[in-house]
């Protein structure tokens, strides 16, 4: 019985989500198209180009495109797709979704779509992000709960 308990504890320790991968990013937004819709809605498409650094010591650049729908200066829906290129030669793609928040700041969900190297292991991982805007720049913090093993892979 002692051995089974010991094996269970080792398994839980290896796969527990006690680490947090944190990325800080900034991006310049470029409005591509904006149209007024009936009922006070506005639809806009945009691109964003930015840079980031994470708590593993890596830094990177990102190219993004997205759209948003606003009504009366309130965000109804926003969806962004990004490709990130990292200083270690790896890359990953992610999508950010945010709904029904203030236009100039908010919290949403970020989903890692796929990646190379250790970032493959993050495919379909849901994270939380917070964003604030100043003029045509976005400032984003993303936090992902990951296992200690995954975090160690990301650090190497």
């Amino acid at each position: 019985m002692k051995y089974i308990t010991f094996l269970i504890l080792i398994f839980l320790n290896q796969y527990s989500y006690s680490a947090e991968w944190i990325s800080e990013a900034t991006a310049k937004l470029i409005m591509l198209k904006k149209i007024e819709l009936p009922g006070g809605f506005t639809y806009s498409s945009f691109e964003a180009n930015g840079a980031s650094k994470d708590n593993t010591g890596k830094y990177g650049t990102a190219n993004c495109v997205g759209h948003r729908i606003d009504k009366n200066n309130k965000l109804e829906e926003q969806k962004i797709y990004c490709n990130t290129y990292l200083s270690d030669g790896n890359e990953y793609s992610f999508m950010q979704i945010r709904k029904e928040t203030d236009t100039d700041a908010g919290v949403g969900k970020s989903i890692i779509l796929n990646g190379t190297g250790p970032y493959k292991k993050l495919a379909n991982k849901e994270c939380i992000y917070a964003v604030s805007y100043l003029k045509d720049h976005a400032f984003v913090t993303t936090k992902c709960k990951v296992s200690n093993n995954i975090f160690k892979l990301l650090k190497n």
Side-chain angles (χ1 to χ4, degrees):
M1 186 65 174
K2 283 190 223 179
Y3 295 112
I4 292 172
T5 305
F6 182 69
L7 289 173
I8 290 171
L9 288 173
I10 288 173
F11 179 79
L12 289 175
N13 186 44
Q14 278 188 318
Y15 295 99
S16 66
Y17 288 87
S18 58
E20 194 166 50
W21 177 45
I22 302 170
S23 174
E24 298 280 342
T26 183
K28 181 172 172 70
L29 303 172
I30 301 167
M31 188 66 61
L32 300 174
K33 184 80 173 176
K34 186 173 185 177
I35 60 172
E36 300 295 326
L37 300 170
F41 289 94
T42 303
Y43 178 88
S44 15
S45 61
F46 58 90
E47 69 179 52
N49 296 296
S52 64
K53 184 173 182 183
D54 69 20
N55 63 337
T56 68
K58 296 194 179 63
Y59 51 94
T61 61
N63 298 312
C64 309
V65 294
H67 75 268
R68 63 184 291 137
I69 299 171
D70 294 284
K71 182 176 182 183
N72 300 327
N73 206 31
K74 291 281 188 191
L75 177 70
E76 294 290 319
E77 175 188 282
Q78 178 173 285
K79 196 177 274 189
I80 303 167
Y81 292 89
C82 299
N83 289 324
T84 300
Y85 307 94
L86 298 165
S87 57
D88 66 356
N90 286 299
E91 55 190 70
Y92 65 92
S93 298
F94 64 93
M95 172 181 64
Q96 290 180 328
I97 303 166
R98 190 161 63 99
K99 295 183 178 190
E100 299 175 353
T101 62
D102 289 334
T103 299
D104 58 353
V107 175
K109 179 170 46 173
S110 183
I111 301 168
I112 309 292
L113 301 173
N114 210 341
T116 63
Y119 300 91
K120 282 183 187 179
K121 296 197 179 283
L122 295 175
N124 300 313
K125 178 75 178 153
E126 290 189 14
C127 309
I128 299 296
Y129 80 95
V131 63
S132 296
Y133 296 94
L134 178 61
K135 296 188 181 187
D136 60 351
H137 281 78
F139 299 88
V140 183
T141 300
T142 304
K143 294 184 178 185
C144 295
K145 295 211 178 287
V146 297
S147 70
N148 288 328
N149 286 346
I150 297 287
F151 191 73
K152 286 177 189 173
L153 287 173
L154 296 174
K155 283 180 80 171
N156 294 329

